[in-house]
């Protein structure tokens, strides 16, 4: 069956509201861990995770940090306008963006937009004992998003400072509650470092320093990648078949030494979360692109949604990649590493729209740690592809054994 013809209704299950964890456990690593190993299902507690992993393996986790992406402006009429940051535009680089001291622009979603008829939104703030004004001006529409220019009148304040004071952490909409002060800590992984996400890579929320130390003691190496999670991760599949569902673009950064470690481990990894999966699997296709065109640029390494499923993919106006033969994962990663060395890149910055669904062949990820996902979601499709369609057995067990679901819920270790 053509992957694009998959009916999303075939990937549904009954998820009662009371099964959705509205708050995390007091101790992160006390969550339940479902174990799926070659068709056999069992359970344990998350802090015992290292006992179920092979010594000498490589674990890859996403070190992105959730930003306080919800900004609220109050109009003189009393109307409250929410501006939700989606993606930096000028500058487009996340690190540069947060260091801006005068102005910047983002693609945003605007709440209560009907009340924002014309002119800029303004607010007065105090940061570091200094008062200043900030304004938000609409520059135009891009699809359902708005291009918003932010300007402020104090060069001692950068945009990261503004978000820390003015912004609100965007917890998932299905929690149906207001963000609380505790979410600023609990909705971040203990290893989060690089600001940029508007949603947490939630499989990582179960890790504690105790578990990380146990993983190290077990002889498992750890590497980190960065994929900034966008609001599109919550976008429901509205089309009957997934061929009509557009995947959002996600920005990734991978260090050269991470690719070197992957190669040292025969291009095999344990992925923590679906974001790490999408990053790792995208690296394979980036390697194929480099093999087809050694002069390719970082921007051209972008992995389009359906590339993995196409026998012949037009990768740019001038490059066509033919895949009549299977390229081994190590070969593709080695090509990507060599390309980075030639271009003197210590960090690869690119993007991906990859959709992983039944019909996809995994190349690098051999084990997956992940939470329990929403019905009829692309993340459930990713899990189904990983366990060769056996997702019903996993979810039936979780539903009948009191597992907690979604972002603050329990997790699973999947070994196909």
């Amino acid at each position: 069956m053509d992957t694009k013809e998959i009916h999303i209704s075939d990937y549904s299950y009954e998820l009662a509201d009371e099964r959705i964890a509205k708050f995390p456990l007091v101790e992160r690593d006390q969550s339940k861990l479902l174990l799926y190993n070659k068709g056999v299902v069992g359970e344990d507690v998350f802090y015992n995770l290292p006992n179920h992993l092979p010594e000498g393996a490589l674990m890859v986790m996403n070190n992105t940090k959730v930003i306080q992406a919800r900004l609220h402006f109050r109009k003189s009429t009393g109307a409250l306008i929410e501006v939700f940051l989606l993606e930096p535009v000028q500058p487009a680089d996340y690190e540069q963006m947060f260091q801006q001291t005068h102005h910047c622009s983002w693609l945003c979603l605007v709440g209560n937009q009907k009340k924002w008829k014309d002119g800029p939104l303004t607010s007065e703030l105090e940061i570091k004992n200094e008062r200043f004004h900030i304004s938000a001006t609409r520059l135009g529409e891009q699809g359902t998003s708005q291009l918003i220019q932010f300007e402020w009148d104090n060069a001692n304040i950068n945009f990261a400072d503004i978000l820390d004071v003015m912004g609100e952490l965007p917890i998932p909409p299905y929690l149906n509650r207001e963000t609380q002060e505790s979410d600023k800590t609990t909705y971040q992984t203990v290893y989060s470092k690089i600001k940029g996400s508007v949603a947490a890579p939630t499989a990582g929320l179960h890790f504690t320093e105790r578990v990380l130390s146990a993983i190290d003691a077990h002889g498992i190496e750890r590497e980190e990648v960065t994929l900034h999670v966008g609001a599109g991760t919550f976008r429901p599949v509205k089309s009957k078949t997934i061929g009509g569902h557009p995947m959002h673009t996600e920005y990734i950064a991978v260090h050269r030494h991470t690719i070197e470690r992957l190669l040292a481990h025969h291009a095999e990894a344990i992925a923590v979360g679906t974001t790490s999966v999408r990053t790792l699997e995208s690296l394979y296709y980036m390697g194929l692109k480099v093999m087809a065109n050694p002069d390719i640029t970082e921007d051209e390494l972008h992995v389009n949604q359906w590339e993995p499923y196409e026998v012949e993919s037009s990768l740019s106006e001038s490059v066509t990649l033919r895949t009549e033969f299977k390229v081994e994962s190590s070969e593709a990663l080695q090509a990507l590493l060599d390309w980075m060395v030639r271009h003197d890149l210590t960090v690869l910055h690119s993007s991906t729209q990859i959709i992983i669904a039944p019909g996809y062949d995994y190349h690098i990820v051999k084990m997956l740690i992940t939470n329990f996902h929403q019905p009829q979601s692309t993340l459930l499709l990713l899990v189904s592809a990983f366990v060769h369609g056996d997702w019903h057995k996993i979810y039936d067990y979780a539903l009948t054994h009191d597992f907690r679901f979604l972002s603050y819920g329990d997790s699973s270790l999947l070994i196909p």
Side-chain angles (χ1 to χ4, degrees), residues 230-243:
T233 192
F234 299 120
R235 181 188 297 159
V237 179
K238 294 183 178 179
S239 54
K240 287 185 178 180
T241 61
I242 64 165

Side-chain angles (χ1 to χ4, degrees), residues 102-298:
H102 289 290
H103 54 80
C104 60
S105 60
W106 286 72
L107 278 179
C108 304
L109 295 177
V110 177
N112 205 13
Q113 188 172 176
K114 292 180 180 179
K115 298 292 186 180
W116 187 5
K117 291 186 170 59
D118 50 39
L121 302 173
T122 61
S123 186
E124 185 177 0
L125 298 175
E126 182 174 323
I127 298 177
K128 302 174 183 176
N129 296 319
E130 297 191 43
R131 298 199 70 79
F132 68 100
H133 294 83
I134 181 171
S135 66
T137 305
R138 285 182 294 190
L139 300 181
E141 295 183 357
Q142 292 192 22
T144 58
S145 306
Q146 297 274 347
L147 179 59
I148 306 290
Q149 172 90 359
F150 298 98
E151 297 180 271
W152 57 102
D153 56 7
N154 191 325
N156 295 323
I157 304 299
N158 63 35
F159 198 61
D161 295 327
I162 292 172
L163 294 190
D164 286 343
V165 172
M166 185 181 183
E168 178 184 299
L169 198 78
I171 60 173
Y174 47 66
L175 295 184
N176 291 318
R177 65 171 175 84
E178 296 294 321
T179 300
Q180 300 195 7
E181 187 67 23
S182 60
D183 291 309
K184 292 182 179 180
T185 301
T186 58
Y187 197 59
Q188 302 280 13
T189 64
V190 297
Y191 48 81
S192 64
K193 298 180 180 68
I194 313 298
K195 291 181 178 181
S197 283
V198 300
T202 54
L205 296 180
H206 306 274
F207 286 83
T208 59
E209 293 300 337
R210 170 172 67 169
V211 173
L212 293 175
S213 295
I215 287 169
D216 295 341
H218 201 67
I220 297 169
E221 291 191 54
R222 290 188 280 131
E223 281 290 331
E224 295 177 357
V225 295
T226 304
L227 179 144
H228 291 313
V229 190
T233 192
F234 299 120
R235 181 188 297 159
V237 179
K238 294 183 178 179
S239 54
K240 287 185 178 180
T241 61
I242 64 165
H245 178 73
M247 285 293 284
H248 53 291
T249 297
E250 297 175 302
Y251 294 90
I252 65 175
V254 180
H255 283 260
R256 187 195 297 179
H257 65 73
T258 299
I259 298 177
E260 291 170 345
R261 295 316 303 154
L262 282 165
L263 285 166
H265 286 266
H266 312 291
E268 296 183 351
I270 304 166
V272 178
T274 57
T275 60
S276 297
V277 169
R278 294 197 295 276
T279 303
L280 290 168
E281 293 296 312
S282 293
L283 292 178
Y284 173 80
Y285 293 97
M286 291 178 183
L288 295 189
K289 289 171 184 267
V290 166
M291 293 174 71
N293 177 15
D295 297 321
I296 199 168
T297 66
E298 276 187 292

Side-chain angles (χ1 to χ4, degrees), residues 46-71:
F46 191 84
Y47 63 72
N48 287 327
L49 172 69
N51 299 336
H52 302 283
L53 302 176
E55 290 186 30
L58 177 66
M59 177 178 286
V60 178
M61 44 225 328
N62 183 7
N63 64 11
T64 189
K65 190 167 190 173
V66 185
I67 62 173
Q68 296 182 189
R70 294 186 187 275
L71 304 179

Side-chain angles (χ1 to χ4, degrees), residues 60 225 227 252 254 262 267-271 273-289 301 303-304 307-309 326 329 332-333 336 352 354-356 360-368 382 386:
V60 178
V225 295
L227 179 144
I252 65 175
V254 180
L262 282 165
E268 296 183 351
I270 304 166
T274 57
T275 60
S276 297
V277 169
R278 294 197 295 276
T279 303
L280 290 168
E281 293 296 312
S282 293
L283 292 178
Y284 173 80
Y285 293 97
M286 291 178 183
L288 295 189
K289 289 171 184 267
L301 287 177
V303 179
N304 291 313
E307 281 182 29
Y309 307 88
K326 179 176 173 57
S329 303
L333 289 186
L336 185 59
T352 183
I354 193 170
I355 183 169
I356 297 178
Y360 179 87
D361 291 325
Y362 278 81
H363 300 281
I364 295 172
V365 178
K366 302 304 178 185
M367 298 183 184
L368 171 60
L382 181 152
F386 191 67

Side-chain angles (χ1 to χ4, degrees), residues 2-3 83 88 153 160 178 227 280 304 313 350 400:
D2 184 351
T3 298
V83 179
D153 56 7
E178 296 294 321
L227 179 144
L280 290 168
N304 291 313
S313 302
S350 195
T400 56

